[in-house]
Amino acid sequence: MSAPKQTPLPAILLANHLLDGDVVFFTPNGWSRDPREALVAEDRATAEALEAEGVAAFKRQEVVDAYLVDITRDSHGLPVPNHFRERFKVRGPSNRPDLGKQAEFV
Amino acid sequence: MYRYDEFDEAFVRDRVAQFRTQVERRLSGALTDDEFKPLRLKNGVYLQLHAYMLRIAVPYGTLSSRQLRQLALIGEKYDRGYGHFTTRQNLQFNWPKLRDVPEILDLLADVEMHCIQTSGNCIRNVTADQFAGVAADEVEDPRPVAELIRQWSSLHPEFDYLPRKFKIAVTGAQHDRAAILAHDIGLRVVMNAAGEIGYELMVGGGLGRTPMIGKVVREFVPKDQLLTYLEALMRVYNLEGRRDNKYKARVKILVHEIGIEEFRARVEAEFAMLDGPSIPADTEELARITAYFAPPAYEKLPAIIPAFEAAKRANPAFAAWVESNTFPHRAPGYTALTISLKPIGKAPGDATSEQMRVVADLAERYSHAEIRVTHHQNLVLPHVKQADIFALWQALGEAGLAEANVGLITDIISCPGLDYCALATARSIPIAQSLQKRFADLSRQRDIGPLNVKISGCINACGHHHVGHIGILGLEKRGEESYQITLGGDATENAAIGEILGPGIVAEEVPAAIERLVGVYLAHRKDGETFIEAVRRLGLAPFKAAFLQEAADAA
Ligand code: SF4
């Protein structure tokens, strides 16, 4: 078996909140619904620490489906996922700008 | 309409109570995620991109006004004020919180609804012709048998862990409006030479990664032997369907691998050993179910209503809407009316809570409080007096529900795609929107005539793209969304799988590519020939040339 693919850096950790289903991000102050607060791992050690947080929060029944997402910083320094799938996950449905994170946190 | 008896009621309430404690146990850690996931799925709760999604069964697509009002309430109270009608005639809410789901299930149970078996490897909600019971071309209303199958298959102990999901569609008419050849089992009510009513059964249809058209497994199953025959068929599949590879686990693969003759022989051998189904339905029970589907008391009306004819003459927009959105009813003076959920620029199949209430009220006033959901993601008022159609049209117009495009190029089927769905490889809703805008001009749509465009956001094909006259499949190509176009698919009794026209194109190129295909049709059509008829006559070549020309121009 080949080794699992390593997420390129920089990266953030996102997940879905177990009870609400909402997308949440790991921040320096724990989990937040606001993508702007996401802690950005610039090095491998931080990325591994993030992943460990995801596993721990899953075990504490707080989140599900936690995984690292590689990002690029936009002109305001805010993280934007490199893959279009996660860009929608972070923003919300592209046909409904009134819904999702894009409506709440701009 | 079917009404729950005390057993149905207790069964659904028990399931809600069980799910409530399952959520509690998941939160306390008593249930692991691996243990909880199949339980939530069996209750229709998925986890999608932004939130949980709740899929609510609308058995054979029939709803009462009371039920639709309750769905409106749930949408408002626990979701974002709208729901999405799907190609399986179900309703999906896109934003429920897991903590609220038990409460939502209770509200559903209050109106005899639930989410049981809307997911998982079991027999799913049975779908039906949206004009069941009212179509003039029907042998018999197929819904009593759909209800019988629903009761028989709900928590059937033997068929609760099948190799893969299992979808059944029924029709009572010769013309197939329920895509029965694209289902694991398609059932058609037929009459034999002796004048007896029974069922023709098709097996092994399906879309997804390996699209197949269903094949006839038995031309005539007598009414009283249906469940026995289904049991034999399901048993063969359950035992011999592949469990080693989920991409090869559907019954269509088994039928394909061993051939329909061998499959039929195995089913018949099993059938011969059965002395009636292990879970039989006595004739009394069947009669009880059937009684619920007795047609409403229609008034005796003349076939032609002068005021209605005059309204059409005086108002061309109304006449255009009547032409595309009404369907002949078996009772004189009545019509079955389709409400398009495809207003230009909106997500296909979405309805706001407010719109649901408007439809529920109008159904109560004009259609014996009955509504149907179509697999084309529209709604139907099945029993409307022609004399009421004008007033209805005006009321629908105020709610943004009077789009006159049923069956036309902007009546697009689209799955949620990457705007919501966790499995998606590309978006589908914005593609539908861009096509609707491109072809918004109604007189042009009417000139183009009947044309089904169907869009899926991944190979799972929930948007039925394989059987669209024009199919669009969203994929990922080198980190970008890419769209594969197919031509010549058909979901009716002439079922066909569309053929791929060429390499995938980017979203921005899709409207022009479709325009080019329509152009070939307009240039070559004979008098009265529809798009799909022209495709069949001309073959793929001229369309392919136009499509590739487009791709070359863009390169
Ligand atoms: S076809 Fe794919 S993207 Fe569309 S709803 Fe089905 S699984 Fe999701």
Side-chain angles (χ1 to χ4, degrees), chain B residues 311-367:
Chain B
K312 282 195 283 186
R313 277 193 303 274
N315 194 329
F318 174 59
W321 181 77
V322 168
E323 197 183 314
S324 59
N325 294 39
T326 60
F327 182 82
H329 197 286
R330 63 163 56 153
Y334 282 83
T335 200
L337 197 150
T338 303
I339 301 170
S340 167
L341 293 182
K342 322 289 174 66
I344 303 299
K346 293 273 164 46
D350 277 11
T352 65
S353 288
E354 220 162 292
Q355 289 175 325
M356 290 184 214
R357 278 202 189 99
V358 169
V359 173
D361 290 349
L362 291 173
E364 206 157 62
R365 189 143 170 220
Y366 297 114
S367 179

Side-chain angles (χ1 to χ4, degrees), chain A residues 18-20 83 85 88 94, chain B residues 52 98-99 419 422 427 476:
Chain A
L18 173 63
L19 252 188
D20 294 337
H83 195 280
R85 181 181 190 273
F88 294 122
S94 70
Chain B
Y52 287 101
L98 182 60
R99 65 172 92 230
D419 286 304
R427 286 174 294 168
E476 173 175 355

Side-chain angles (χ1 to χ4, degrees), chain B residues 281-303:
Chain B
D282 50 42
T283 41
E284 227 169 85
E285 172 63 4
L286 190 54
R288 185 186 75 87
I289 292 174
T290 306
Y292 284 111
F293 295 94
Y298 297 121
E299 290 171 37
K300 245 189 143 39
L301 298 173

Side-chain angles (χ1 to χ4, degrees), chain B residues 148-204:
Chain B
L148 179 70
I149 295 171
R150 181 176 83 90
Q151 297 196 10
W152 165 78
S153 63
S154 290
L155 258 65
H156 192 297
E158 186 175 341
F159 307 133
D160 211 26
Y161 286 92
L162 296 169
R164 200 78 178 85
K165 57 186 163 187
F166 203 92
K167 300 176 183 175
I168 302 177
V170 303
T171 180
Q174 196 48 41
H175 178 53
D176 180 7
R177 290 172 288 264
I180 64 168
L181 292 171
H183 283 75
D184 295 287
I185 287 181
L187 179 153
R188 186 199 306 282
V189 186
V190 289
M191 193 181 281
N192 68 7
E196 296 155 341
I197 289 180
Y199 310 105
E200 182 187 19
L201 288 185
M202 272 61 72
V203 70

Side-chain angles (χ1 to χ4, degrees), chain B residues 62-301:
Chain B
T62 297
L63 279 171
S64 67
S65 288
R66 180 165 160 259
Q67 290 173 324
L68 188 55
R69 255 184 225 121
Q70 189 82 330
L71 295 173
L73 175 86
I74 292 168
E76 219 160 56
K77 201 164 164 198
Y78 295 107
D79 209 85
R80 304 290 162 91
Y82 72 104
H84 175 75
F85 289 99
T86 75
T87 52
R88 300 224 70 251
Q89 299 177 318
N90 292 323
L91 181 81
Q92 293 179 179
F93 283 119
N94 292 309
W95 306 90
K97 296 183 186 312
L98 182 60
R99 65 172 92 230
D100 294 332
V101 171
E103 195 53 40
I104 297 172
L105 295 181
D106 256 333
L107 287 172
L108 289 172
D110 289 346
V111 294
E112 308 183 356
M113 294 186 83
H114 61 70
C115 304
I116 298 166
Q117 293 185 197
T118 60
S119 173
N121 294 338
C122 52
I123 299 176
R124 303 284 188 90
N125 184 36
V126 179
T127 54
D129 180 355
Q130 68 269 24
F131 298 128
V134 304
D137 64 342
E138 195 174 69
V139 174
E140 188 179 88
D141 186 346
R143 290 174 305 157
V145 73
E147 174 60 28
L148 179 70
I149 295 171
R150 181 176 83 90
Q151 297 196 10
W152 165 78
S153 63
S154 290
L155 258 65
H156 192 297
E158 186 175 341
F159 307 133
D160 211 26
Y161 286 92
L162 296 169
R164 200 78 178 85
K165 57 186 163 187
F166 203 92
K167 300 176 183 175
I168 302 177
V170 303
T171 180
Q174 196 48 41
H175 178 53
D176 180 7
R177 290 172 288 264
I180 64 168
L181 292 171
H183 283 75
D184 295 287
I185 287 181
L187 179 153
R188 186 199 306 282
V189 186
V190 289
M191 193 181 281
N192 68 7
E196 296 155 341
I197 289 180
Y199 310 105
E200 182 187 19
L201 288 185
M202 272 61 72
V203 70
L207 303 174
R209 193 171 296 260
T210 320
M212 303 255 189
I213 301 298
K215 299 167 188 73
V216 176
V217 60
R218 179 74 111 82
E219 274 169 13
F220 191 84
V221 180
K223 266 194 160 178
D224 59 349
Q225 292 177 18
L226 178 69
L227 289 189
T228 318
Y229 195 84
L230 285 180
E231 180 165 307
L233 193 158
M234 293 307 299
R235 187 167 286 171
V236 168
Y237 168 56
N238 201 20
L239 290 174
E240 304 188 33
R242 290 180 59 170
R243 290 173 190 266
D244 60 323
N245 179 342
K246 80 169 188 174
Y247 299 124
K248 301 197 168 184
R250 296 288 288 269
V251 71
K252 63 189 171 187
I253 304 291
L254 177 64
V255 172
H256 182 71
E257 283 183 352
I258 66 176
I260 184 68
E261 287 77 24
E262 177 62 22
F263 184 83
R264 182 183 300 124
R266 291 187 197 182
V267 174
E268 292 292 341
E270 183 67 35
F271 181 63
M273 290 199 314
L274 292 176
D275 181 17
S278 54
I279 301 176
D282 50 42
T283 41
E284 227 169 85
E285 172 63 4
L286 190 54
R288 185 186 75 87
I289 292 174
T290 306
Y292 284 111
F293 295 94
Y298 297 121
E299 290 171 37
K300 245 189 143 39
L301 298 173

